[in-house]
């Protein structure tokens, strides 16, 4: 599976184009979540026991938005909101993880924006491509604001 390749064509010379859909397909989604959690120092190694997610309609080839749930190895269930964005040198990731409070009325987790939900963790970083492998790097403080995928 080719997740990243050096581009010419219409993209900037020497740019790396990530195939975001391939990155989150199959077990890839779980691997991305775990990579982000490990990069931020919240999890260590193989703490996950399965993940499922729903790609939202506002997603594009260059900006994927997924909300979902991941099981910790201790069998606790955690909600997450993941955004991946391609950049000229790789990509960016943002992960909102674990609801801070459970909604009283209805399921706020069905919202179409992470901003409508109170989260315990708000993580942000970049995706580097090192010798063909993806490296999820945690950035603290967070990077520039995320674009609104609806615009």
């Amino acid at each position: 599976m080719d997740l990243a390749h050096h581009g010419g064509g219409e993209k900037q010379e020497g740019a790396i184009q990530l195939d975001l859909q391939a990155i989150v397909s199959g077990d890839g989604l779980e691997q991305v979540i775990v990579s982000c959690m490990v990069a931020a120092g919240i999890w260590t190694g193989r703490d996950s026991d399965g993940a499922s997610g729903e790609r939202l309609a506002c997603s594009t080839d260059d900006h994927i938005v997924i909300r979902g749930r991941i099981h910790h190895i201790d069998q606790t269930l955690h909600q997450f909101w993941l955004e991946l964005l391609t950049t000229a040198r790789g990509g960016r990731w943002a992960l909102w993880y674990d609801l801070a409070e459970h909604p009283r009325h209805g399921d706020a987790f069905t919202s179409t924006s992470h901003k409508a939900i109170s989260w315990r963790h708000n993580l942000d970083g970049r995706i580097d491509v090192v010798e063909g492998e993806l490296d999820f790097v945690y950035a603290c403080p967070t990077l520039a604001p995320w674009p609104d995928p609806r615009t």
Side-chain angles (χ1 to χ4, degrees):
M1 173 171 37
D2 185 21
L3 301 179
H5 64 274
H6 291 276
E10 294 182 25
K11 296 268 183 179
Q12 180 180 353
E13 184 61 38
I16 297 170
Q17 184 177 354
L18 296 179
D19 183 349
L20 296 180
Q21 185 57 44
I23 291 171
V24 296
S25 65
D27 290 338
L29 176 61
E30 180 180 5
Q31 293 170 7
V32 168
I33 302 298
V34 170
S35 295
C36 295
M37 298 293 284
V38 169
I42 294 174
W43 281 7
T44 58
R46 180 84 176 126
D47 291 310
S48 171
D49 194 22
S52 63
E54 168 190 13
R55 183 176 166 172
L56 300 185
C58 57
S59 297
T60 66
D61 288 343
D62 294 335
H63 186 181
I64 289 184
V65 181
I66 298 173
R67 66 176 170 218
R69 293 168 171 79
I70 189 165
H71 286 273
H72 189 270
I73 199 73
D74 68 5
Q75 296 303 305
T76 55
L77 182 64
H78 302 273
Q79 290 81 7
F80 68 84
W81 191 285
L82 174 69
E83 292 195 34
L84 300 173
L85 179 70
T86 59
T87 64
R89 294 195 172 140
R92 286 189 55 195
W93 61 268
L95 177 66
W96 294 266
Y97 173 76
D98 219 2
L99 296 176
E101 57 187 48
H102 293 282
R104 295 180 192 166
H105 303 291
D107 186 4
F109 192 61
T110 61
S111 172
T112 57
S113 172
H114 68 275
K115 295 176 185 174
I117 303 167
S118 180
W119 299 97
R120 291 187 196 277
H121 302 283
N122 176 3
L123 312 173
D124 195 359
R126 68 181 191 274
I127 304 169
D128 293 339
V129 180
V130 180
E131 297 179 7
E133 297 292 321
L134 300 180
D135 184 20
F136 289 78
V137 179
Y138 177 56
C140 186
T142 61
L143 301 170
W146 276 82
D148 186 342
R150 294 168 287 186
T151 58

